[in-house]
Amino acid sequence: MRDNRPATSALQLYRAFQHQHPRTPIPADYVTECGFRLGRWQDRQRIARMLGTLPPQRIEQLDAIGFLWSDDDVPLPAVSRTDAKRRRMLTAIAAYREEHGNALVPANYVTADGEQVGQWLYRAVKKWRADALPDKERRTLSVLGVSPGPRPRGPRTSAHLVGQTT
């Protein structure tokens, strides 16, 4: 079994990239020479901070190496700890993205805990398209990779349900 962790830390790899390419955003699909998915790692750090799950000491470490919290110098929106449902939905979208590589959550997607994430996201995108979603919420969804644009054509079932028989 191959160990996918790089011999050097993610912080060192990030710092090396920034040294070679100052103030250059790391593409989401960027993979280092040693095979580490640095772009995905960067996205996970950003999303964790936005959702309030990144420990303060990790934020300090990242700030110390000049971590770019966004590609456009606009601060990441913080998700309020008091809005529990929104936090759960956004966390589920982040988990879906991590598992599937995109945020194209099917409208009928339901988490193992019974959260109707697909319907919640469908309604949010519908509001976005109608220009009725606040900018802060648009920004949060954008960071997760959600877009108000048309979705690719295809089956409307969750990837894990395709091919299952009942």
Side-chain angles (χ1 to χ4, degrees), residues 44-45 47-56 59 81 87 91:
R44 283 194 300 271
Q45 306 311 299
I47 291 167
R49 182 171 187 182
M50 179 180 71
L51 294 175
T53 59
L54 197 62
I59 294 170
R81 291 194 179 275
R87 288 177 59 80
T91 300

Side-chain angles (χ1 to χ4, degrees), residues 9-26:
S9 76
L11 294 172
Q12 291 169 320
L13 292 170
Y14 184 88
R15 197 170 27 213
F17 181 94
Q18 289 300 342
H19 181 73
Q20 290 177 330
H21 313 282
R23 302 290 301 166
T24 301
I26 297 175

Side-chain angles (χ1 to χ4, degrees), residues 17-83:
F17 181 94
Q18 289 300 342
H19 181 73
Q20 290 177 330
H21 313 282
R23 302 290 301 166
T24 301
I26 297 175
D29 60 354
Y30 180 76
V31 179
T32 65
E33 290 179 10
C34 67
F36 182 70
R37 295 174 185 236
L38 190 61
R40 287 191 69 183
W41 175 84
Q42 174 184 255
D43 285 348
R44 283 194 300 271
Q45 306 311 299
R46 290 174 173 177
I47 291 167
R49 182 171 187 182
M50 179 180 71
L51 294 175
T53 59
L54 197 62
Q57 61 271 26
R58 184 61 164 189
I59 294 170
E60 289 173 14
Q61 289 176 324
L62 293 168
D63 283 341
I65 64 167
F67 188 83
L68 298 177
W69 291 106
S70 69
D71 291 341
D72 56 8
D73 292 329
V74 175
L76 290 175
V79 179
S80 169
R81 291 194 179 275
T82 60
D83 191 350

Side-chain angles (χ1 to χ4, degrees), residues 89-132:
M89 295 299 155
L90 295 171
T91 300
I93 294 166
Y96 182 93
R97 178 182 169 188
E98 187 67 26
E99 182 179 343
H100 299 278
N102 62 53
L104 297 172
V105 179
N108 66 347
Y109 181 76
V110 179
T111 67
D113 296 337
E115 295 282 4
Q116 295 184 349
V117 177
Q119 283 299 304
W120 183 89
L121 183 58
Y122 171 80
R123 287 189 297 274
V125 170
K126 190 174 178 181
K127 285 181 185 177
W128 191 350
R129 289 177 181 157
D131 204 26

